[in-house]
């Protein structure tokens, strides 16, 4: 168990500080410990009060953990005053574990978390003992005395700080530098490393810096190299921003549990799909509803926004004799058509997360209606040329048309084809098992009707 100690402030709003640190450490599989330096009364848009913890008590929190539990890596965040900085530096020097220093100066809301006169002692006491330093552009500017507004500036500042203070890794973060991509620059052992991911357009960025630094510390505690740890932390904070919550009136909290929750949801979905497919493969005579383009079935995880978050059958479902057979095991990102349908349907009803395409026939529609399933349709020959031209747009357009006309979200959606396009029915439902159940009932109904 990687043991990680965070020495930082408490954020009563739960978005940043030790609250974010402990969530991050836990999500990445570590054991988190905390030495709280200051208590802040804080929400998403303001810090209304700060109480600094007595320095002897800060030392004591660190010491008890070290002497019993042990520490594989340390992260520091808010160190409000010169006295706190001195006390913490003295304790940490004695530990010797890798130290990630997030030189916190200003909260997202703009409140100062570092007393103006304390910058000098941060430079003198803390920077020289840091293994990794993670300033944002503003902090790097204050510490290096350079102005930073470009990638080149980030590089220069990272190298300058690393050399001036003898720090092994300096990451100058790019969150505050405009651009579609957010690029963090690491200077490590004479080389630059660039970590670039798309900027997520959101106000929920409360805690990004804390999550990033804690993730680096946890990865170092696991034994990762500095460039590896930064790479993993970058991806981790990205998922936390992506899964963030628009809570409160200001910058909502990021969500360090997002990656764990997503992985758990994917596993659960794959497992349910496995059961659904097994049931489907047992259905005698199911090939009656097998279209030329074969069948696929898919189920999305809650809140899915991309095809990677939709589980389907790679290679689709084919016919063997009178039964259906999946070409392989369910996996994420395994379908385009069905996944696009599901993602579109979810825009109308987030709980309707599964779909399956089957062969079109009048009998299927009749049987479904008799069973009380709701049905809607669209006419592909009316698809505008500009929509036809864009890959993946047909379904979005079609589902929107069908639902608008029906005035509701329906169990079945169909179209009767167009030049070179096979007519198709899509069964939708809350999950894949429900979709397969609907399929079975429709098939039984068709048989019943044909025996009359
Ligand atoms: N909108 C965003 N989309 C994706 N990644 C982001 C976004 N904003 C920040 N990040 C990432 O989050 C991490 C923290 O960067 P940032 O520059 O925001 O730090 P910070 O200003 O110290 O944050 P805080 O205000 O929480 O202390 C970096 O890895 C950065 O790339
Ligand atoms: Mg910060």
């Amino acid at each position: 168990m990687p043991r990680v100690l965070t020495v930082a402030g408490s954020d009563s709003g739960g978005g940043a500080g030790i609250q974010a640190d402990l969530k991050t450490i836990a999500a990445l599989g570590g054991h988190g410990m905390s030495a709280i330096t200051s208590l802040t009364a804080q929400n998403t848009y303001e810090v209304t009060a700060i109480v600094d913890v007595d320095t002897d008590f800060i030392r004591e929190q660190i010491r008890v953990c070290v002497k019993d539990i042990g520490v594989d890596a340390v992260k520091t965040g808010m160190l409000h005053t010169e006295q706190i900085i001195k006390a913490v530096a003295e304790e940490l020097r004695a530990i010797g574990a890798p130290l990630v220093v997030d030189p916190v100066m200003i909260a997202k809301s703009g409140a100062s978390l570092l007393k103006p006169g304390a910058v000098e002692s941060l430079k003198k006491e803390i920077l020289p003992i840091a293994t990794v330093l993670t300033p944002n552009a503003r902090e790097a500017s204050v510490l290096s005395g350079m102005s930073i507004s470009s990638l080149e500036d980030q590089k220069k500042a990272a190298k300058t700080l690393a050399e001036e203070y003898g720090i092994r890794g300096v990451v100058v973060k790019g969150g505050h530098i405009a651009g579609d991509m957010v690029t963090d620059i690491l200077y490590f052992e004479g080389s630059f490393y660039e970590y670039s991911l798309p900027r997520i357009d959101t106000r929920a960025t409360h805690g990004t810096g804390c999550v990033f630094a804690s993730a680096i510390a946890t990865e170092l505690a696991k034994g990762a190299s500095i460039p590896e740890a930064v790479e993993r932390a970058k991806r981790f904070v990205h998922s936390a921003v992506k899964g963030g919550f628009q809570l409160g009136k200001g910058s909502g909290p990021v969500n360090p549990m997002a990656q764990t929750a997503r992985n758990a949801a994917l596993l659960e979905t794959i497992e349910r799909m496995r059961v659904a497919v097994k049931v489907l493969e047992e259905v005698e005579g199911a090939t009656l509803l097998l279209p030329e383009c074969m069948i696929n079935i898919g189920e999305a995880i809650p809140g899915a926004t991309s095809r990677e978050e939709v589980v389907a059958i790679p290679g689709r479902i084919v016919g063997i004799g009178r039964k259906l057979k999946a070409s392989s095991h369910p996996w994420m990102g395994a379908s385009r058509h069905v996944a696009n349908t599901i993602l579109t349907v979810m825009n109308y009803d987030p709980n309707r997360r599964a779909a399956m395409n089957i062969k079109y026939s009048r009998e299927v529609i009749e049987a479904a209606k008799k069973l009380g399933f709701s049905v809607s349709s669209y006419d592909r020959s009316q698809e505008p040329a500009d929509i036809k031209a864009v890959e993946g747009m047909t379904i979005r357009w079609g589902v929107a048309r069908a639902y608008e006309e029906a005035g509701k979200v329906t169990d079945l959606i169909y179209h009767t084809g167009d030049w070179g396009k096979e007519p198709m029915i899509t069964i939708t439902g809350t999950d894949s098992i429900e979709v397969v159940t609907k399929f079975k009932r429709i098939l039984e109904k068709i048989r019943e009707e044909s025996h009359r």
Side-chain angles (χ1 to χ4, degrees):
M1 189 65 145
R3 301 159 296 180
V4 184
L5 171 67
T6 166
V7 182
S10 163
D11 170 1
S12 61
I18 57 148
Q19 285 81 356
D21 296 342
L22 292 174
K23 285 183 229 176
T24 300
I25 298 163
L28 289 170
H31 172 67
M33 295 165 277
S34 62
I36 303 180
T37 55
S38 296
L39 304 168
T40 72
Q42 185 173 169
N43 56 29
T44 61
Y45 66 92
E46 63 181 343
V47 177
T48 55
I50 298 177
V51 173
D52 293 328
V53 174
D54 167 73
T55 52
D56 284 337
F57 187 71
I58 295 173
R59 287 174 187 268
E60 196 57 24
Q61 292 175 83
I62 298 172
R63 282 185 197 158
V64 279
C65 292
V66 172
K67 86 172 173 203
D68 176 39
I69 300 165
V71 174
D72 299 309
V74 184
K75 177 239 152 162
T76 61
M78 176 184 181
L79 304 172
H80 194 204
T81 65
E82 209 176 313
Q83 292 83 332
I84 291 175
I85 290 170
K86 279 199 177 126
V88 168
E90 219 172 279
E91 292 303 320
L92 298 188
R93 254 180 240 123
I95 298 182
L99 171 61
V100 179
V101 172
D102 186 17
V104 173
M105 294 180 187
I106 292 175
K108 272 272 138 73
S109 54
S112 173
L113 301 178
L114 179 69
K115 291 255 165 88
V119 176
E120 282 315 309
S121 63
L122 195 70
K123 288 185 186 172
K124 185 162 159 269
E125 304 279 344
I126 299 284
L127 266 48
I129 58 169
T131 312
V132 177
L133 180 71
T134 65
N136 62 24
R138 205 171 174 284
E139 291 151 356
S141 176
V142 169
L143 295 173
S144 68
M146 308 162 52
S147 72
I148 299 167
S149 59
S150 70
L151 208 71
E152 282 315 306
D153 297 343
Q154 281 175 274
K155 285 186 177 173
K156 248 187 252 166
K159 185 166 190 268
T160 304
L161 288 170
E163 285 170 354
E164 189 169 346
Y165 296 97
I167 309 169
R168 285 189 72 204
V170 176
V171 189
V172 176
K173 298 174 290 191
H176 301 257
I177 295 172
D180 293 341
M181 302 295 282
V182 186
T183 305
D184 301 337
I185 295 289
L186 166 68
Y187 182 77
F188 172 70
E189 292 183 347
S191 304
F192 292 107
Y193 296 76
E194 264 184 58
Y195 305 89
S196 214
L197 285 174
R199 181 181 300 276
I200 297 161
D201 183 20
T202 174
R203 286 181 76 205
T205 56
H206 195 96
T208 48
C210 302
V211 168
F212 183 63
S214 306
I216 295 174
T218 309
E219 293 303 329
L220 291 179
K222 289 182 193 170
S225 69
I226 291 174
E228 272 169 0
V230 174
E231 151 105 56
R232 290 181 205 164
K234 169 77 175 171
R235 273 189 278 124
F236 185 82
V237 75
H238 194 262
S239 73
V241 175
K242 194 168 168 235
F245 302 113
Q246 282 303 352
L247 297 176
K249 298 187 193 77
S251 298
V254 297
N255 177 14
M257 290 312 291
Q259 193 171 294
T260 309
R262 181 178 182 272
N263 290 344
L266 280 170
L267 267 185
E268 227 175 80
T269 305
I270 288 171
E271 186 52 30
R272 195 164 32 248
M273 277 282 292
R274 231 173 46 79
V275 174
V277 167
K278 219 168 164 191
V279 173
L280 187 63
E281 286 177 338
E282 295 294 311
V283 181
E284 223 19 272
T287 46
L288 183 69
L289 301 182
L290 182 67
E292 273 171 40
C293 70
M294 304 301 152
I295 285 176
N296 211 337
I297 180 168
E299 180 178 331
I301 64 171
T305 54
S306 75
R307 289 204 299 250
E308 274 308 304
E309 292 170 332
V310 182
V311 173
I313 307 298
R316 305 188 187 178
I317 295 171
V318 300
I320 296 184
R322 301 186 63 237
K323 286 187 176 176
L324 297 175
K325 178 85 190 145
S327 308
S328 57
H329 298 294
W331 204 245
M332 45 256 203
S335 105
R336 242 187 18 219
H337 192 92
V338 165
N340 279 341
T341 307
I342 294 169
L343 293 171
T344 309
V345 170
M346 284 174 74
N347 287 335
Y348 294 85
D349 178 0
N351 293 321
R352 201 174 278 258
R353 292 188 277 106
M356 170 181 175
N357 71 293
I358 58 170
K359 185 186 170 98
Y360 170 82
S361 75
R362 219 37 254 170
E363 290 80 66
V364 174
I365 301 301
E366 293 308 320
K369 282 182 178 165
K370 279 187 182 149
L371 287 166
F373 293 140
S374 51
V375 177
S376 64
S377 69
Y378 61 99
D379 183 351
R380 277 194 72 145
S381 67
Q382 289 185 9
E383 184 183 356
D386 55 330
I387 291 198
K388 256 188 197 141
V390 186
E391 142 79 35
M393 274 302 280
T394 300
I395 290 167
R396 267 187 265 172
W397 169 82
V399 170
R401 267 304 269 264
Y403 284 176
E404 262 160 42
E405 220 156 279
K408 62 181 176 194
V409 173
T410 60
D411 300 307
L412 271 70
I413 310 168
Y414 73 92
H415 68 80
T416 52
D418 194 6
W419 283 108
K421 300 288 175 194
E422 191 182 9
M424 196 67 61
I425 298 173
T426 302
I427 305 175
T428 69
T430 53
D431 64 33
S432 48
I433 293 176
E434 193 196 283
V435 166
V436 167
T437 306
K438 285 178 181 168
F439 173 86
K440 280 176 70 176
R441 289 186 60 203
I442 290 170
L443 191 64
E444 276 159 24
K445 191 76 185 167
I446 292 173
R447 287 220 189 90
E448 201 183 297
E449 294 290 316
S450 71
H451 286 143
R452 280 196 177 186

